[in-house]
Amino acid sequence: MKKSLKPARAPKAAGSVKVRIHQLPTGARGLDEILGGGIPEYSMSLIGGTPGCGKTTLAHQIAFANGTNERPALYITILGEPVMKMLRYQQQFSFFDEAKLNGAVRFVNLSDVVQDRDLNGVLEEIVRQVTTANAGIVVIDSFRTLARKVSSLVGEAELQLFIHRLSQFLTSSEVTTFLVGEYADAGNPENPLFTMVDGIFWLSQVTERNSVVRKLQIVKLRGQASVPGLHTVR
């Protein structure tokens, strides 16, 4: 009786061990499954979309789900709404935990820094805040406001360099980062940010008959297979 022949397998290269990417929970029911298991740890992602679609709320939910006293979530605001006003609205959600404020979840306003310092000064202050807090999660809201100022003063090339240096520091510091901003189109090839981030979480509002429905699309996510298409969220 002849033995069936099987195609020979190429030997594995020495030391070719697949790196396992640890995943963090979003705190939002159903979202981890859409992402393919959760948020890739140490990644830098954009939470983008039009006004009123839930970007800030999602960022807060992720911060409260992952912040600890040892590795807090650092929420950095850039020329946006005041922190107290923001927290007043976020207190209405079930994920909000007042006991975590100023410990596991911390807020920093860099409005004065952005207005008074140059690009290097802004980066230095972000580095200082993240290092002092030993942050594990960093949210920058609104990053588009910062990007607009940078590109208008020094140009797109300097903006790309700034994003690259910021990403290098946060990744090497084992920080998972979210940049929050208002953008009209997730497929804009001219925006350097869209090509440089690891993930794009795109939120939108769609009119269906006489109601408005919020939608989420994972436009991009490096390192894992997310569920494609538009997903209804609330």
Side-chain angles (χ1 to χ4, degrees):
M1 191 175 188
K2 291 183 178 180
K3 294 182 179 180
S4 60
L5 298 177
K6 295 182 179 179
R9 293 183 179 178
K12 288 186 177 180
S16 60
V17 180
K18 184 186 291 186
V19 175
R20 182 180 179 273
I21 299 176
H22 184 62
Q23 296 169 318
L24 305 179
T26 61
R29 187 177 62 185
L31 183 51
D32 291 352
E33 288 78 4
I34 291 173
L35 293 173
I39 304 161
E41 194 174 35
Y42 313 146
S43 60
M44 174 180 281
S45 298
L46 168 68
I47 300 178
T50 53
C53 58
K55 301 182 298 298
T56 296
T57 299
L58 177 58
H60 274 93
Q61 192 159 6
I62 293 171
F64 275 92
N66 290 282
T68 65
N69 288 327
E70 295 74 24
R71 296 298 305 275
L74 190 65
Y75 202 106
I76 300 173
T77 58
I78 306 287
L79 300 177
E81 58 184 317
V83 171
M84 292 305 296
K85 182 180 178 182
M86 186 184 296
L87 290 178
R88 180 184 178 191
Y89 294 123
Q90 296 305 314
Q91 287 178 14
Q92 311 306 314
F93 293 97
S94 58
F95 63 78
F96 184 88
D97 185 355
E98 189 174 357
K100 289 189 173 184
L101 292 181
N102 300 319
V105 180
R106 307 179 188 182
F107 291 83
V108 176
N109 189 312
L110 296 188
S111 298
D112 291 341
V113 175
V114 173
Q115 289 177 334
D116 299 339
R117 299 191 196 176
D118 61 11
L119 199 56
N120 290 329
V122 173
L123 183 60
E124 287 172 3
E125 183 61 21
I126 292 175
V127 169
R128 189 183 73 82
Q129 293 287 348
V130 172
T131 303
T132 301
N134 189 33
I137 298 284
V138 168
V139 178
I140 302 180
D141 184 3
S142 158
F143 188 78
R144 191 187 183 192
T145 303
L146 176 59
R148 276 177 169 173
K149 178 174 181 179
V150 171
S151 59
S152 65
L153 292 177
V154 295
E156 292 291 335
E158 288 298 320
L159 174 60
Q160 285 182 281
L161 180 59
F162 174 81
I163 297 171
H164 176 70
R165 292 173 62 194
L166 177 65
S167 177
Q168 274 196 323
F169 162 71
L170 293 170
T171 302
S172 63
S173 301
E174 299 186 341
V175 173
T176 306
T177 309
F178 295 90
L179 311 177
V180 182
E182 292 182 358
Y183 297 91
D185 183 9
N188 183 359
E190 296 181 0
N191 193 321
L193 177 62
F194 292 177
T195 60
M196 297 180 75
V197 293
D198 302 305
I200 298 178
F201 298 18
W202 198 259
L203 290 158
S204 59
Q205 296 188 93
V206 180
T207 302
E208 294 185 358
R209 294 185 180 181
N210 62 342
S211 62
V212 175
V213 180
R214 286 188 173 93
K215 298 285 185 179
L216 167 71
Q217 181 183 4
I218 307 303
V219 177
K220 173 183 180 181
L221 193 62
R222 290 174 178 152
Q224 61 196 51
S226 57
V227 180
L230 290 172
H231 306 277
T232 301
V233 298
R234 64 180 174 89

